[in-house]
Amino acid sequence: MNHSQTPAHVVYRPSQLFGPLKTLLAKSIALAVSCSILSSSAFSQDSYSQDTNTDDGFKFEVIEVTSQKRVQNVMQVPITVGIINADLLEESSSIGLADVDKFIPGFDFSDANVTQAGVKIRGVSSPNISVGGDPSAATFYDDVYMPRAAQNVVFSDIERVEVLKGPQGTLFGRNAATGVVSIIPKKPSDDTEGFGKFSWGTDNLQRYEGMANVALSNNLYLRVNGLVSLQDGIVQNTAKPEWNKNNKIWDLGDKNHKAARIALLWDISTGTEFQLSLDLDDLNQAPPMAIGLSAYASHGGTQPFASYTENDVRKGVESRDMYGVTAKFIHEFDDNWSMKYVASVRDWQTVNREDEDGTADITRYFDTSNNEDSDIFYTELQFNCVSARVSAVTGFSYSKENVTQTSELNITTDAVARIVTQDLNNEIRGGVAQQIAAAIGGTSDEITQAVFGPGVTFDAVVDSQFSELGLPMDHLWNPGEWASALNALGYGSTITAALGMPGADLNDGLVLLAGDAIYEVVSQTLGVPEIFGPSHSGQFWQESVNNTGTFTNWGAFADVDFAINDKWHVIAGLRYSNDEKDFAWYIPETSYAAVRPGVSNQLFPQVDISATDSWSKVTGRLVTNYQINDDNFVFASYSTGYKSGGFDSLTPISQADGQEAFAPEDVANFELGYKGILSDSFITNISYYQMELDNFQVAVESKQPGSTTAVSTIINENRSINGIEIDAKWNVSDAITVGIVTDFRNTDADRPSFYNAEGELLDATSTSSDNDTNYTATLDWFPDSKYGAINVHIDYVFVENTNAQRSDILPFQLAIPEYLSDRKNLSARISLSTNDDSMEMAFWGRNLLNERYIEGISNLTRAFFGTSFARINRGREIGMDFKYNF
């Protein structure tokens, strides 16, 4: 029995909680032990794919997966699993999860920020920049859990990708509340083989990939692979700010990613092996896109697909330096029993410094930088027992993660002066309102209309008087506006008298003549050091949130598959999970206090606090499946999942004041599935599910009362999701296969009240939405040719846009057609391989229809700078591949 691969992307069989953990584990382990007594007939499967022939001679590739921590035929696994094998990765020119999500219904992957990527399964995703939280779907690479910034890895020399949908807590544990993505690299073998592959394409795409596998001795094998992927951006960045003289100015969409892996496999003896691997990852590319949508941006913010824009972000970059070391020991005790032990250490440092205003306006400059330095130790011990009637797996997992995150918010002093300007405008307007209220005897519209006439509101009168004073100011460094404000405050005559001009009005000429002097006088008079003059222009004001944390997770699990007879199986499993998190926030005073003593933070209050919390949960699954005949298989399952609570890095809490961490997620999922071959040429997977998700951790852009800016904040909402997923392929002939994947999903959500990005309090809402129409259609054609093997692959993706259904969408977003347009993507690849398969040449195209759309909009700085920005997709791409195998 070969258990050299661990579960990846197959659907789990649900388990139900049957009582206290000790009792259940004891019963499960006892049942597992009995498997060696019930039968000595164990199965052994060393290959991972095989062909199934139908009566008409058609062939279907049947892939064996390890999604249940057992080697199984994917067509006989009682969970909903999406598989991307090495051939499909090749034919679709895919090097990441964002390239293959279209082939799996109910699965989406967003990598606009490589270091803050988001897995979405069945409409549920929880990406967030906070290291204090976790994704709702877990990602594993080579049997090892991958946290947040580490989960987006480059595909090089990959065996397959498995996407398991629904709660997978029983076998995978940590953060597998809605599913699991498992990426399985190829392992060393006793073959001497290798390849070199070169790709060129649109936007100066250059991709170089290679692999070599050699036998160092009769039982020691080495496999080495590497990949370099480079591509120019799609929007020229024409900004040339002074502060970027010695720093690279990236065009928007520039890519630069390198990865390598070295794996050594030692066949110690028959049934015993040890593998040691090292993987390296180096990312250094343009920061995430920020194409301005405001009047202050290039083209007035009305042309998101223009050839150029201006992003003046200082030292903008997205980078990740990561390595991981993994050791595996696999041993077969006898025909029934085997074990696997995995231990891994992974370390990474990331920098994601990006523009947050989408302009080159120095008075609206705002950038953020998410800097992370983290490491994790992960280990798992697993025992497997297989007999004629029982297949059992039990084990223990443990992980400890140390995180350090610094979230920088950088603004120019010019931008700080704009924030101060808004505060002064509000103060002056409040004074005007008080004067008018005193004069007319109140603030109600009824009193106002009695004095000024029908239809006149109190706010209209205040605004009119405010305007007559030459206000509001746009920026206090505008001499004329500053003079008007000081006259309105009653300081004008005092200042002109001090200048030796008693009785004169303060005007822009006098302000210019005095330079910073008048600003300093007002600053000292009001006791507001944040008021300073234009000589401070062009300097940087930084505020930072510094987080540290230690997260410990451990779990014990047991899962038993019992064959009632040759056709009917029942599976039960349980896991106990325990999470502990220690977290700290340190927010120092602004860096500009060193230049101007006395200034205080404008964005975040100074704090130095810490918090700790722990969560535990028993999750499980109960599954039954029935093999109707050789070609048809049905299953039903009930499973529960869990994701621990956590802390929001940008929202400090004080447990002394009764504040708490955000709540853990709980998931319950019922599922019915069918897998089968119909009419000898039609293979299909259909599943129906109902999922209840409590305390879903949603990240929203929220501007709290008294806050200057919106920040990413976690809120908890409840969701009820039900849907159908279909994955079907039809062998039209020996040479043609067509396929379609699609899903239909309805989501009911109860969202609590929260402040949106503009500071408006949105009431608690209950909404119901459909995912509408979305599908991927594929065609593969293998025409006969005497010159070699020809393969034509075509796929078409359609996704109906649902942005208008979002509860937090803003009116201006509804007016942007490209943000509401459906997504259509036609891609194709035609390849020719020599008869001996030593060489292959291919031509390919992506987004051949050149569809353009806005992938996302950020409103982080809209409330106080009036700025928003967009992220757009890449247009049509064409290219060619050349591969040499040896």
Side-chain angles (χ1 to χ4, degrees), residues 554-626:
W554 67 270
F557 63 93
D559 192 76
V560 178
D561 181 339
F562 181 75
I564 296 176
N565 55 42
D566 290 344
K567 294 180 178 292
W568 183 18
H569 286 233
V570 174
I571 305 169
L574 281 184
R575 174 185 284 262
Y576 173 78
S577 298
N578 182 280
D579 287 274
E580 296 181 7
K581 292 187 176 183
D582 298 317
F583 204 66
W585 298 261
Y586 171 58
I587 305 178
E589 67 178 359
T590 170
S591 62
Y592 207 65
V595 178
R596 187 172 178 82
V599 297
S600 59
N601 290 9
Q602 295 294 296
L603 306 173
F604 290 110
Q606 290 181 240
V607 297
D608 187 0
I609 57 177
S610 61
T612 185
D613 212 331
S614 63
W615 305 266
S616 61
K617 189 78 174 180
V618 176
T619 56
R621 66 175 185 154
L622 181 63
V623 188
T624 184
N625 58 268
Y626 189 78

Side-chain angles (χ1 to χ4, degrees), residues 850-868:
N850 199 31
E851 294 284 338
R852 307 303 303 274
Y853 47 83
I854 291 176
E855 294 184 319
I857 294 177
S858 173
N859 299 305
L860 192 65
T861 56
R862 182 175 175 82
F864 58 103
F865 287 157
T867 50
S868 297

Side-chain angles (χ1 to χ4, degrees), residues 399-418:
S399 68
K400 183 174 183 179
E401 185 178 0
N402 299 300
V403 302
T404 300
Q405 181 180 37
T406 297
S407 302
E408 297 179 12
L409 294 94
N410 301 289
I411 55 179
T412 57
T413 44
D414 309 68
V416 172
R418 178 174 292 283

